[in-house]
Amino acid sequence: GAGVSQSPSNKVTEKGKDVELRCDPISGHTALYWYRQSLGQGLEFLIYFQGNSAPDKSGLPSDRFSAERTGGSVSTLTIQRTQQEDSAVYLCASSLAAIGGGTEAFFGQGTRLTVV
Amino acid sequence: AQSVAQPEDQVNVAEGNPLTVKCTYSVSGNPYLFWYVQYPNRGLQFLLKYITGDNLVKGSYGFEAEFNKSQTSFHLKKPSALVSDSALYFCAVVRGYSTLTFGKGTMLLVSP
């Protein structure tokens, strides 16, 4: 497809387990973003990748969260030792270039994570 | 710090009437502003953006937004609302060079 693809669409996990969320950006997009959407917090920035530059990790809420982007394309967001407060929708987005240049970001449909 | 505010949690409008969803911003320098829409169980869809130039920006699905520097606002408008416009709308501003800071969202409900 032509859009940002995220998998799985839904994930239920037990507290304390690790989870991996996957994002396939639009082909050719150099920038990739992860956001978290929850009822109490709205849309929170998590991490940003741009080409081969070091990622901007300033939004990661704790050291249980990490992300990588392999080959400048697919990205994986990993949450270790999940907690109930990690329950949210995790959204991935990509853009042709950095949005600071005025390029819009395109979002995937998200992964709904439920920690029980 | 760059931020946006959406003062209304919900906006109700009758089909066929004009709609406005409000957004104000607080930035240093010239803002890059965006509107996104989210339908139930879907990701965010880009509607329009203001970077520079004309203060009236036209976007997808008949939406437009007016950039007003003196009032630091970027309100989303549509001349005639449709029931299918019912969704959650987010205003956003570019923070730094790499990320978007979003408002808390406004739920638009269009009644038949």
Side-chain angles (χ1 to χ4, degrees):
Chain A
V4 177
S5 178
Q6 292 186 246
S7 60
S9 54
N10 283 283
K11 176 72 176 178
V12 179
T13 189
E14 293 181 351
K15 178 181 174 181
K17 300 286 189 183
D18 297 352
V19 295
E20 287 188 351
L21 312 179
R22 178 187 168 101
C23 173
D24 281 280
I26 294 172
S27 178
H29 281 196
T30 63
L32 186 146
Y33 318 79
W34 283 96
Y35 283 82
R36 179 169 70 175
Q37 184 176 23
S38 56
L39 282 176
Q41 301 297 324
L43 278 159
E44 301 173 81
F45 164 74
L46 296 177
I47 189 168
Y48 161 69
F49 296 90
Q50 173 63 53
N52 295 320
S53 302
D56 176 356
K57 305 180 182 180
S58 61
L60 294 178
S62 77
D63 59 7
R64 296 185 297 104
F65 288 72
S66 63
E68 63 177 17
R69 188 179 185 191
T70 54
S73 182
V74 172
S75 177
T76 302
L77 177 69
T78 301
I79 309 174
Q80 296 179 310
R81 305 181 302 281
T82 51
Q83 304 294 314
Q84 288 185 330
E85 60 263 29
D86 299 335
S87 296
V89 176
Y90 289 82
L91 293 168
C92 177
S94 69
S95 59
L96 194 58
I99 56 173
T103 306
E104 60 267 27
F106 295 87
F107 283 78
Q109 294 193 356
T111 295
R112 181 176 297 278
L113 176 66
T114 304
V115 182
V116 297
Chain B
Q2 319 287 65
S3 66
V4 290
Q6 295 179 244
E8 303 154 317
D9 291 335
Q10 185 169 305
V11 170
N12 297 298
V13 64
E15 188 173 34
N17 284 357
L19 70 88
T20 299
V21 182
K22 295 179 180 178
C23 173
T24 59
Y25 64 88
S26 175
V27 303
S28 55
N30 296 318
Y32 287 1
L33 296 159
F34 295 77
W35 276 101
Y36 281 84
V37 60
Q38 186 176 36
Y39 297 99
N41 300 314
R42 302 291 297 275
L44 276 68
Q45 294 181 31
F46 169 75
L47 279 178
L48 51 80
K49 64 183 177 183
Y50 173 81
I51 304 302
T52 187
D54 290 341
N55 289 339
L56 185 64
V57 179
K58 294 188 182 296
S60 307
Y61 312 122
F63 283 93
E64 58 188 28
E66 185 172 8
F67 174 71
N68 188 316
K69 190 170 184 177
S70 63
Q71 297 185 5
T72 63
S73 66
F74 188 56
H75 300 332
L76 182 70
K77 300 182 179 184
K78 187 174 182 181
S80 179
L82 300 172
V83 172
S84 57
D85 292 330
S86 298
L88 185 59
Y89 290 80
F90 290 95
C91 181
V93 64
V94 173
R95 177 176 67 87
Y97 197 73
S98 57
T99 65
L100 287 171
T101 297
F102 288 87
K104 61 179 175 62
T106 298
M107 179 64 70
L108 173 66
L109 294 177
V110 182
S111 56

